[in-house]
Amino acid sequence: PQLAQLRGVSKFYENGVEALRDVDLDVRAEEFLALLGPSGCGKSTILRLIAGLEAPSAGTLTRSFAAGSVGFVFQEPTLMPWAKVFDNVFLPLRLAGQSRGKAAAAVEQALALVGLEAFQNAFPNELSGGMKMRVSIARALAPRPSLILMDEPFAALDEITRFQLNDDLLRLRHETGATIVFVTHSIFEAAYLSTRIAVMSPRPGRIVAEIDAEAPRG
Ligand code: ADP
Ligand code: ADP
């Protein structure tokens, strides 16, 4: 089954920038799709279109998941600095209407998946960059979204931390069966993590190749 289908999608911004031209792309359930391309080729634009945060200028986009059922992970962890790790994951669930008990159980499970059980009571400024990123990932996973969109999540981290997070991501994808669309300009990351790679041209972004990658070892 498809979670999202783009057909002949183009995107012009109001300033006249043509960000995307004639993009055909499917997001299939339970895949790990890497969008690989140079800076400015429209990768983030595709994520925003899939999430429904923007509309295509031309072409069609169909989605088979609920509007709220998307988790985002950005390069900047954007944690609430005044809230403990637990509450950073817990409060969004409560705001979305989950009961206290159900939300707390989901937080525990999500923090365990990223190996941060022992840091529930820490504040974000007590954590390393890699640990903050793990909290962001836990926050995205906790509501069990249909789809997780990651926009160059590890680009700001040092290489060793990035490699660790790559392995963590492979493992937790196997454990959760999450569908992930991952934007990167790292060929290594795309090849290591994904089940499928869509390669984009420089702006205006077009899909110039689709590669079925090896099933990742996890
Ligand atoms: P954009 O949304 O414009 O593509 P990115 O998220 O790709 O920006 O880039 C984030 C940061 O990384 C920026 O400071 C950018 O200058 C830098 N950057 C972009 N491309 C590369 C690259 N290939 N290698 C190293 N740094 C890069
Ligand atoms: P990527 O994620 O591949 O770096 P983006 O999707 O962020 O690319 O941007 C694609 C192009 O569209 C870039 O040239 C960028 O400057 C432009 N762009 C992105 N968002 C806007 C916007 N809100 N208004 C105008 N231009 C934009």
Side-chain angles (χ1 to χ4, degrees), residues 6-11 20-24 49 56 58-61:
L6 288 76
R7 288 292 177 271
V9 165
S10 298
K11 178 69 184 179
L20 297 175
R21 182 182 293 180
D22 199 20
V23 167
D24 293 337
L49 290 167
T60 59
L61 190 156

Side-chain angles (χ1 to χ4, degrees), residues 13-34:
Y13 285 107
E14 279 166 15
N15 58 2
V17 168
E18 183 184 14
L20 297 175
R21 182 182 293 180
D22 199 20
V23 167
D24 293 337
L25 186 69
D26 293 337
V27 179
R28 304 171 187 159
E30 300 197 358
E31 77 173 341
F32 193 134
L33 171 66

Side-chain angles (χ1 to χ4, degrees), residues 3-4 17 20 42 44 52 56-57 60 63 78 85 88 99-100 127 130-131 133 181 185-186 191 193-194 213:
L3 290 187
V17 168
L20 297 175
S44 309
S57 310
T60 59
R63 285 180 217 93
T78 64
V85 164
N88 265 280
S99 73
R100 187 169 288 276
L127 304 179
M131 290 161 85
M133 181 51 68
V181 182
H185 41 225
S186 160
L193 293 173
S194 66

